[in-house]
Amino acid sequence: MKIPNVTMLPGYLVEKASKSKFIKKQAILGVISASTAAQIALWSGVSKDAVGCYYYVTQSLKNEKIPEEKRKFVASLDLANGILNVLVQTLLGSAFAKGVEKYFNNNIKESLFSKETAEKKIKKILKYNETHKNKPKILPDLGVNPAESAENLAKYIDKDIKKLAKKEGKAAAGFAAIATLIITQVIAKRVIVPLIATPMASKIKAKMEKNEAGKSKTSPNASQQTDSTKVAANVSKSDKAKTPKCFKNFR
Amino acid sequence: MKISALNESYKVASSARKANVSFGSAASTAASSAAKVGGKAAKTVKLHWFVDLLEWAKNSSEKSTILATAIGTAFVAPIFIAFNPFSKEDKDTKTYSAARQPISAIITVFTQIFINNKFNRWLDRLASTAKDGRFKDIDLSKKPSASYLKQEIKHANPYMDNKKVMEQVKQKQNNVLYSYIDDERKRLMGKDPKELEAFIKSKANENAETLAKDPKYIQAKKDLEYFTYEKMIGLEDYKAAREEIELEIKHNGKNLSKKQLKASIKAETTEEKVKERAIKIVERKVEAETKSKWETARAIKSGTKIEDLLVDSKSKKGAIENEIKAAKESGNHIIIELKEQLDVVNKRIEKLEKDGINTSKKYVGKTYEDALKMVKIKKYINGTLSFAEERLSKMKSWGGIIVSLATLPFTCGLLNWAYPRLMEKFMPEVSKSKKTKEAK
C-alpha cells in the first residue's frame, strides 16, 4: 500500500492495524472472555509505568529547580517505584485476571441481572412515588407506564430485563477491568510499592552517592585536589560529627 | 412483477419503520415534559447504575485506566510516602516527595484524557465515514457511532438540548441502518444464491489477476456472502458457540475430574471447532426466525386475530421460560437453543403489539424462500457490523495505550517544570534546600 504523503500516514496505520490478525483475535477474545479487558487494563498501567520510570528518573536528576539534597532521593524513589510497579503489578494482575471473571460470574452476575432484582427496584420507586407526588422519581422511558396497571408493570419489567441482558457481556468485562485497576493501580502501585520503594529509594540514593564519590576519587584531577577541596572534605567530616543521625544520608 | 410487488411492501415497511422510530422520541418527549416537576426538570433515575458503570468501564477502557491511576496517585500514594515507617529520610524530604503525587495526577488526567478523547473521536470519524473500501474492517458507515453523530448534530445545532441531540442520534442511527438493509434486500431479492455459486465456479480456471479486475466476478462473490452462513456469523454467535460447547462437555462429563474437564474444553474450543458450531447456531437462528415470521404472516393473512396470536405467543414464551429454568438447574447445554427460541418469541410478541395487522406486511415477501433471504441479508449485515464495532473498540483500547505512552514525555516534562515551582510557591518551607536553611 503506497502512502502518498505524511499526512496520510495516521490513516494508513489505522487501516493496517484494523486488518491485523492481532485486532481480529482481540475482537473475538473480547466477547468470549472478560479477562481480555483485565489484561488491557493491566498492560496499560505496566507499560506506562515502565516508560514513565525512565523519563521521571532522568528528568528528576537533571532538574536543578529541585534542591540538590532532595534531588537524588526523588530520582531514586522514581526508579524504585518504576521497577517495583512493573514487577508487583504484573504478578498480582496476572494472578487475579481469570479469578476476577469467575468471581463475577459466580457471585455478582446473578443478583445484578435477575428479574427479581429489577422488579424489586422498580416497585420500590413506584412505592416512593405514591408518597412523594410532589417530587417523584422518574423511571427510564421504555414506552409503557408501569404505574398504570399490573399488566403494564409486568411489561415494563420484561422490557427492562431485556435491555439489561444486552449489557451482561460488557458488565463482566467492565468488572474485570475495574477490579484489575483497583488491585494494580491502587493497592499494588499506591500501597504495597511505596511501602517498599521508599526505603529502597534510600538505598539506591546511597549507592548513587557512593558511585559518584568513587568516580571523583578515581578521576584524573584527584591528585590535583586543591587545599580548598581538602578543607571542604575536612569540614564535611566535622559536620558529620555535629549533624544528627537522621540527616546522615544527605551527605 | 415480483420485484415491484416487493418494492411496495418495502415502502410500507420503511414508512412504518419511520413512524416507529418517531414513536420512541414522542414517548420520551412526553416523559421529559412530564418530568418537569415544580418548574424544574426532574432527573431520570438510574435503575441499574452499577451495570452502567461497568459498561462505561469496558467501553472507555483507557479513560477508566487513567482515572483509576490518577485516584490512586492523588489520594493513596502520598499517605504511604509521607508516613512510611520504613523510610529513614527526614520529614521534609518525604513530604516534598509525597506532594509530587497529586500534581502528577492532575497533569496526567488533564493531558491524557484530553488527548485520548481526541484520538477516540478521530477513530469514530474514520469508521463512520468509511467508503471506497477503506477501513473495511471497521466500516461503520451503515451504523455510524453515536459519538460521531453527536458531534455532527451539535456542530449543526450548537444550542440544542443534550437530550434532543441524543434522540436525533438514535433516530439517525436507526434510519441509516434500516435504509441500508432495505436497499440491500431490494438489490438482492432477485438474485439466486445457486446461480451466483455456479457463476463463481465457472470462473475457477481463469487467471486470478484477471478475476481481481472483473467487476461482475467481484460483485458476485460479495453478493454470495449475504447467503453464506459462515459469513453471517456475528460476535454473539461465537460467544454462544463457545458457551454451548463448554456446557455440553460439562453436562456429559459429570464423572470427569476438573483437570480432565479443562483439558477436554481446551481441545474442543479451538478456533475451527468454535467456528463450526457458530455456523450451526447461525443456521438454527436464521431458520427459527424465518419460520416464526412466515407462520405469523400466514396466520394474519388467513384471518387469525392479533389477540389470539399474542395469547399463543405468550403461552409459548411461558413454556420456554420454564424449560430454560430446568435446563439452568441441570446445566444442560440446550439452554443456548432455548434462549434463542425465547428471543424469537419475544420479538414476535413485540412486533405484534407494536405493528398489529401490519406485522404480516413487514420483511416477509411472497414465498418462504423470499422470507429466508430477507432474514439472511439482515443477519449478514448485523454480523459484519458487530465485528466492525468490536474491532473498533479494541483499536481504541490498544491505540489508547500507545497514544498515552506517546504523551508521556510531554506529561513528564510538564510535571518536572511545574512540580518544583508549585512546591516553592505553596510549600516553601519544605522546598528550601538544607544549605539555605542552615545559612539562615
Side-chain angles (χ1 to χ4, degrees):
Chain A
M1 207 181 294
K2 286 183 184 172
I3 315 161
N5 58 53
V6 166
T7 57
M8 306 271 292
L9 181 63
Y12 168 77
L13 290 171
V14 167
E15 203 175 341
K16 266 279 190 187
S18 66
K19 291 180 180 176
S20 66
K21 275 186 186 172
F22 176 74
I23 290 292
K24 286 184 181 176
K25 202 173 180 183
Q26 282 285 303
I28 295 174
L29 281 174
V31 171
I32 288 170
S33 166
S35 64
T36 315
Q39 280 176 5
I40 292 174
L42 171 64
W43 295 117
S44 170
V46 166
S47 61
K48 275 184 248 177
D49 285 332
V51 174
C53 173
Y54 167 76
Y55 282 110
Y56 285 129
V57 170
T58 50
Q59 289 187 2
S60 296
L61 282 171
K62 290 174 193 168
N63 192 341
E64 286 172 14
K65 268 278 182 177
I66 301 174
E68 204 182 322
E69 67 277 10
K70 292 183 173 64
R71 209 181 295 165
K72 283 200 181 78
F73 182 74
V74 171
S76 306
L77 188 62
D78 286 335
L79 182 62
N81 266 328
I83 295 167
L84 286 169
N85 272 329
V86 170
L87 287 172
V88 176
Q89 280 183 70
T90 309
L91 272 165
L92 283 181
S94 309
F96 279 96
K98 281 203 171 167
V100 155
E101 188 184 353
K102 214 178 175 182
Y103 178 81
F104 180 81
N105 287 332
N106 293 340
N107 300 304
I108 299 176
K109 195 166 106 173
E110 196 63 50
S111 61
L112 273 185
F113 293 95
S114 72
K115 194 174 180 178
E116 289 76 27
T117 311
E119 199 175 333
K120 220 175 169 180
K121 286 183 187 180
I122 294 162
K123 282 184 175 174
K124 195 179 174 184
I125 289 172
L126 290 174
K127 202 177 178 183
Y128 173 89
N129 288 347
E130 278 172 22
T131 50
H132 294 79
K133 288 188 178 162
N134 292 335
K135 217 177 173 185
K137 289 184 182 176
I138 312 296
L139 280 166
D141 175 29
L142 295 175
V144 65
N145 187 352
E148 265 176 17
S149 63
E151 198 189 335
N152 271 10
L153 175 62
K155 272 187 196 169
Y156 188 90
I157 293 168
D158 273 344
K159 282 179 186 252
D160 185 54
I161 287 293
K162 197 180 167 187
K163 198 177 166 191
L164 195 62
K166 288 180 186 173
K167 300 185 183 190
E168 212 175 282
K170 286 191 177 179
F175 182 83
I178 289 179
T180 305
L181 286 171
I182 291 171
I183 290 164
T184 57
Q185 296 294 308
V186 180
I187 297 171
K189 187 171 172 177
R190 302 305 173 189
V191 176
I192 299 173
V193 166
L195 281 175
I196 308 169
T198 314
M200 192 168 148
S202 303
K203 292 202 163 96
I204 296 173
K205 184 190 141 190
K207 201 170 182 188
M208 271 188 204
E209 285 166 346
K210 202 178 170 184
N211 287 344
E212 271 182 25
K215 274 182 191 168
S216 63
K217 271 187 188 171
T218 56
S219 75
N221 296 327
S223 57
Q224 291 170 19
Q225 244 189 6
T226 56
D227 285 337
S228 60
T229 327
K230 283 180 186 168
V231 166
N234 288 334
V235 164
S236 71
K237 272 186 193 168
S238 60
D239 273 355
K240 249 190 188 173
K242 286 181 194 171
T243 323
K245 271 185 189 173
C246 57
F247 289 101
K248 222 168 137 182
N249 288 338
F250 289 95
R251 292 284 161 186
Chain B
M1 182 69 184
K2 181 181 168 183
I3 292 176
S4 61
L6 286 166
N7 281 347
E8 279 307 306
S9 76
Y10 291 131
K11 280 183 192 169
V12 170
S14 296
S15 55
R17 197 184 300 115
K18 278 173 192 163
N20 288 341
V21 166
S22 63
F23 160 76
S25 57
S28 62
T29 315
S32 60
S33 59
K36 279 191 181 151
V37 176
K40 286 183 186 174
K43 275 188 178 175
T44 307
V45 157
K46 286 197 182 280
L47 261 180
H48 307 286
W49 64 269
F50 188 58
V51 173
D52 293 338
L53 174 67
L54 296 181
E55 194 186 20
W56 172 83
K58 194 266 172 191
N59 288 339
S60 62
S61 188
E62 185 60 13
K63 257 187 258 181
S64 55
T65 308
I66 294 166
L67 283 171
T69 309
I71 288 168
T73 310
F75 299 108
V76 182
I79 299 167
F80 287 90
I81 294 172
F83 302 107
N84 192 327
F86 303 117
S87 173
K88 293 170 190 168
E89 301 302 326
D90 70 303
K91 194 184 169 190
D92 278 358
T93 305
K94 283 199 262 186
T95 311
Y96 188 83
S97 306
R100 193 166 178 228
Q101 306 301 313
I103 300 169
S104 169
I106 292 167
I107 290 173
T108 308
V109 165
F110 281 106
T111 52
Q112 290 194 352
I113 286 191
F114 172 77
I115 290 165
N116 212 268
N117 272 341
K118 290 286 175 197
F119 174 70
N120 287 346
R121 279 188 190 177
W122 175 64
L123 281 181
D124 281 333
R125 179 171 287 274
L126 286 180
S128 303
T129 54
K131 58 181 178 184
D132 304 327
R134 276 205 88 190
F135 310 112
K136 196 178 72 172
D137 295 87
I138 52 169
D139 185 352
L140 292 176
S141 55
K142 311 301 173 228
K143 194 181 176 186
S145 74
S147 80
Y148 166 73
L149 288 174
K150 192 178 171 184
Q151 282 175 63
E152 294 290 297
I153 292 167
K154 272 251 164 182
H155 187 70
N157 310 282
Y159 303 108
M160 192 184 273
D161 181 43
N162 214 34
K163 205 165 186 179
K164 269 191 179 164
V165 168
M166 292 317 293
E167 282 169 18
Q168 283 206 11
V169 163
K170 204 169 182 187
Q171 204 168 61
K172 189 145 190 198
Q173 270 187 322
N174 287 336
N175 283 346
V176 169
L177 178 61
Y178 292 135
S179 310
Y180 177 67
I181 294 174
D182 281 346
D183 291 342
E184 288 297 273
R185 279 171 169 167
K186 254 186 246 183
R187 188 176 69 80
L188 292 161
M189 261 311 148
K191 303 212 176 184
D192 184 1
K194 286 177 186 165
E195 281 177 23
L196 289 169
E197 259 184 65
F199 173 74
I200 290 166
K201 254 186 182 167
S202 70
K203 300 270 181 177
N205 295 325
E206 283 188 34
N207 183 271
E209 271 183 45
T210 324
L211 285 176
K213 292 174 189 170
D214 183 354
K216 270 189 177 175
Y217 178 78
I218 295 166
Q219 191 60 53
K221 271 204 112 177
K222 204 182 166 199
D223 290 345
L224 188 62
E225 283 185 2
Y226 283 83
F227 305 111
T228 314
Y229 286 121
E230 191 186 331
K231 300 291 178 187
M232 287 177 217
I233 300 172
L235 281 170
E236 286 304 315
D237 304 317
Y238 260 109
K239 193 178 176 187
R242 208 190 149 96
E243 269 177 32
E244 196 176 73
I245 295 171
E246 271 189 45
L247 281 170
E248 204 173 281
I249 292 170
K250 283 178 185 171
H251 183 71
N252 296 332
K254 281 184 177 158
N255 298 327
L256 297 173
S257 68
K258 264 190 182 175
K259 210 175 173 181
Q260 285 172 318
L261 271 175
K262 209 176 170 182
S264 194
I265 289 170
K266 199 177 175 183
E268 291 301 311
T269 51
T270 58
E271 210 175 300
E272 272 173 37
K273 289 188 178 175
V274 171
K275 197 175 182 180
E276 259 176 56
R277 184 64 66 103
I279 293 171
K280 283 187 188 160
I281 287 176
V282 166
E283 205 175 325
R284 204 165 65 199
K285 278 184 180 177
V286 163
E287 285 176 14
E289 196 176 332
T290 311
K291 194 179 170 192
S292 167
K293 283 182 170 164
W294 183 250
E295 283 177 0
T296 310
R298 281 180 69 179
I300 292 172
K301 204 174 179 182
S302 68
T304 313
K305 287 183 185 172
I306 301 294
E307 293 80 19
D308 294 339
L309 284 171
L310 274 169
V311 164
D312 175 61
S313 303
K314 283 175 183 175
S315 86
K316 259 190 192 148
K317 180 180 169 176
I320 296 171
E321 278 173 345
N322 288 335
E323 280 185 83
I324 288 174
K325 219 174 178 179
K328 226 180 202 175
E329 280 161 20
S330 65
N332 197 332
H333 61 280
I334 201 122
I335 195 172
I336 306 287
E337 194 174 339
L338 288 169
K339 280 184 177 175
E340 289 163 22
Q341 290 174 9
L342 181 65
D343 199 36
V344 168
V345 168
N346 277 333
K347 275 185 190 166
R348 192 189 197 199
I349 293 170
E350 201 181 312
K351 286 219 154 65
L352 284 169
E353 284 178 343
K354 216 191 244 187
D355 302 326
I357 200 87
N358 290 320
T359 308
S360 64
K361 292 180 183 173
K362 275 188 156 194
Y363 325 125
V364 177
K366 283 196 166 183
T367 64
Y368 182 84
E369 277 64 40
D370 285 346
L372 187 62
K373 268 188 196 172
M374 287 171 117
V375 171
K376 280 181 178 179
I377 291 165
K378 190 177 179 185
K379 186 84 183 88
Y380 171 81
I381 292 169
N382 283 332
T384 320
L385 284 171
S386 74
F387 268 104
E389 278 174 331
E390 191 61 25
R391 273 185 221 124
L392 181 66
S393 163
K394 286 291 165 280
M395 284 190 61
K396 282 181 185 175
S397 301
W398 290 102
I401 296 175
I402 295 169
V403 164
S404 294
L405 285 172
T407 58
L408 266 177
F410 171 71
T411 51
C412 291
L414 187 58
L415 173 66
N416 218 39
W417 178 85
Y419 169 54
R421 286 165 176 81
L422 286 169
M423 291 303 288
E424 267 178 36
K425 187 158 187 191
F426 295 105
M427 296 174 88
E429 278 309 309
V430 170
S431 308
K432 276 178 198 157
S433 71
K434 293 244 174 293
K435 287 176 188 168
T436 324
K437 277 188 192 169
E438 281 163 8
K440 280 189 179 175

